[in-house]
């Protein structure tokens, strides 16, 4: 059908009015689809962000910005970006997804690092605890150290020969008025004179009667050495380990770790010896690199530590 040019034509405003509803519908259809798509994507991204924050708070309770940002937020819209096209909205969502991926990567890396450190610490503690439970004798005897052995030690001190009694009596016990100090010094003098059973009895008395004295850590460590020098390696290992575990800030806690390693070497337990030496370096780096540096180097060489 041809348009009759001589008939009155519908004016442009009239055409616009006639087809306005269709034109509006045509414009709204793609816009509505894009809005629905954006809405669905935004919901999914927001859900992922919430889940990521929940995981972060679970893995790092009370965590700080050192590990992750407090919130994962979309870039703030400025006056220039407000009301822009669907492309800008999609770009914003992609940026938020990138942020989520970055946070997930950081979280995964931190979790793996923590797991590795925890595994190392557990291995060292297991080695030290196993050292305390080791009951193998070293000086050609396979007998276990039991409570009966400790009773025999006391009996040996209680019934010495007359000559030994005279020698022990010659060891002067100080009397400075500081009971804890005097008891420790007396135990040290007995040990230095190689009266090991008597020194063990005296030092155990010092440890028990003066638990808060500044010399308590010294007395515990020297008690372990008295056992060690007397060939009672299992008792020595237990004493050294307990001094480190119960008084880690004590003056001779680091020394006890060193002598624990040396005790393990005498028991032919080089792996446990190296674990004790590693713990010494880890916990007391200043002492390991200073006062005990030479002794520690010799011990690690004897144990063939890597």
């Amino acid at each position: 059908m041809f348009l009759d040019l001589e008939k009155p034509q519908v004016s442009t405003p009239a055409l616009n009015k006639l087809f306005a509803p269709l034109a509006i519908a045509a414009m709204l259809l793609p816009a509505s689809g894009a809005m629905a798509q954006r809405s669905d994507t935004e919901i999914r991204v927001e859900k992922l962000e919430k889940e990521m924050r929940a995981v972060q708070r679970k893995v790092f309770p009370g965590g700080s910005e050192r590990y992750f940002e407090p919130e994962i937020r979309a870039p703030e819209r400025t006056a220039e970006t407000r009301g822009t096209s669907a492309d800008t909205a999609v770009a914003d969502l992609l940026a938020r997804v990138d942020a989520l991926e970055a946070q997930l990567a950081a979280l995964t890396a931190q979790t793996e690092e923590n797991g590795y450190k925890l595994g190392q610490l557990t291995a060292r503690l297991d080695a030290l605890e196993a050292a305390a439970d080791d009951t193998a004798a070293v000086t050609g005897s396979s007998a276990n150290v039991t409570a009966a052995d400790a009773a025999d030690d006391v009996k040996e001190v209680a019934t010495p020969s007359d000559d030994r009694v005279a020698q022990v009596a010659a060891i002067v016990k100080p009397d400075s008025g500081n009971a804890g100090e005097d008891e420790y010094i007396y135990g040290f003098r007995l040990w230095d004179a190689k009266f090991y059973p008597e020194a063990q009895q005296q030092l155990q008395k010092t440890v028990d009667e003066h638990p808060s004295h500044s010399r308590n850590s010294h007395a515990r460590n020297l008690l372990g050495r008295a056992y060690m020098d007397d060939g009672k390696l299992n008792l020595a290992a237990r004493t050294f380990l307990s001094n480190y575990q119960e008084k880690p800030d004590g003056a001779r806690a680091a020394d006890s770790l060193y002598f624990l390693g040396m005790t393990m070497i005498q028991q032919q337990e080089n792996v446990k010896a190296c674990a004790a030496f590693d713990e010494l370096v880890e916990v007391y780096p200043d002492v390991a690199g200073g006062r005990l540096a030479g002794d520690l180097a010799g011990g690690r060489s004897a144990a063939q530590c890597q």
Side-chain angles (χ1 to χ4, degrees):
M1 178 178 180
F2 296 93
L3 183 65
D4 190 350
L5 298 176
E6 295 183 0
K7 290 185 180 180
Q9 301 299 311
V10 180
S11 65
T12 299
L15 283 173
N16 291 340
K17 184 177 180 180
L18 179 63
F19 290 102
L22 293 176
I24 293 173
M27 289 186 293
L28 287 179
L29 280 175
S32 298
M35 290 175 64
Q37 183 178 2
R38 288 199 303 275
S39 176
D40 180 64
T41 305
E42 288 177 352
I43 290 173
R44 293 169 63 188
V45 171
E46 289 173 359
K47 180 180 178 182
L48 286 173
E49 290 174 342
K50 290 179 181 178
E51 291 175 351
M52 177 62 72
R53 288 196 295 271
V55 171
Q56 289 171 332
R57 294 188 181 102
K58 181 68 175 177
V59 177
F60 306 109
S64 64
E65 294 185 4
R66 176 184 175 188
Y67 299 107
F68 53 85
E69 298 177 359
E71 300 289 341
I72 303 175
R73 295 181 289 271
E76 294 184 1
R77 294 177 180 242
T78 62
E80 295 178 356
T81 60
R82 250 184 227 107
T84 55
S85 65
D87 291 339
T88 301
V90 171
D92 290 343
L93 289 175
L94 290 175
R96 292 166 69 183
V97 171
D98 289 341
L100 279 171
E101 290 177 344
Q103 293 295 327
L104 180 59
L107 182 62
T108 301
Q110 186 64 38
T111 302
E112 291 176 351
E113 182 180 355
N114 289 343
Y116 175 72
K117 291 181 178 179
L118 180 60
Q120 286 187 316
L121 179 60
T122 300
R124 288 201 300 270
L125 290 177
D126 288 345
L128 290 174
E129 289 176 357
D133 293 333
D134 194 342
T135 57
V138 178
T139 57
S141 172
S142 60
N144 292 333
V145 178
T146 64
D149 296 322
D152 289 341
D153 295 338
V154 175
K155 182 178 180 181
E156 181 182 351
V157 176
T159 58
S161 66
D162 293 339
D163 183 56
R164 189 178 186 90
V165 169
Q167 293 180 43
V168 171
I171 305 296
V172 179
K173 181 177 181 180
D175 186 13
S176 66
N178 185 334
E181 182 76 11
D182 293 342
E183 296 288 354
Y184 167 72
I185 294 298
Y186 183 47
F188 176 84
R189 290 176 178 176
L190 290 169
W191 169 79
D192 191 49
K194 303 187 186 311
F195 294 120
Y196 299 129
E198 291 85 354
Q200 293 159 19
Q201 187 179 39
Q202 174 61 32
L203 291 166
Q204 186 64 62
K205 175 185 175 184
T206 305
V207 170
D208 294 340
E209 294 183 357
H210 305 279
S212 301
H213 196 276
S214 60
R215 288 290 195 178
N216 187 268
S217 179
H218 292 77
R220 284 169 172 259
N221 183 69
L222 191 57
L223 176 59
R225 295 191 65 181
Y227 284 133
M228 182 178 178
D229 293 338
D230 201 21
K232 300 165 184 173
L233 300 179
N234 207 43
L235 283 174
R238 292 178 185 273
T239 303
F240 290 135
L241 183 60
S242 67
N243 190 34
Y244 165 62
Q245 289 181 328
E246 296 176 17
K247 290 186 175 291
D249 297 327
R252 289 294 182 266
D255 299 71
S256 288
L257 273 177
Y258 166 73
F259 285 112
L260 174 61
M262 297 305 293
T263 303
M264 292 298 100
I265 291 175
Q266 291 190 43
Q267 291 181 324
Q268 300 179 357
E269 294 284 356
N270 288 354
V271 173
K272 295 175 183 178
C274 293
F277 295 148
D278 289 343
E279 187 80 357
L280 171 58
V281 173
E282 178 81 15
V283 181
Y284 307 104
D286 294 338
V287 179
R291 179 168 59 84
L292 293 179
D295 294 332
L296 181 59
R300 293 184 68 88
S301 177
Q304 299 179 343
C305 301
Q306 298 298 323

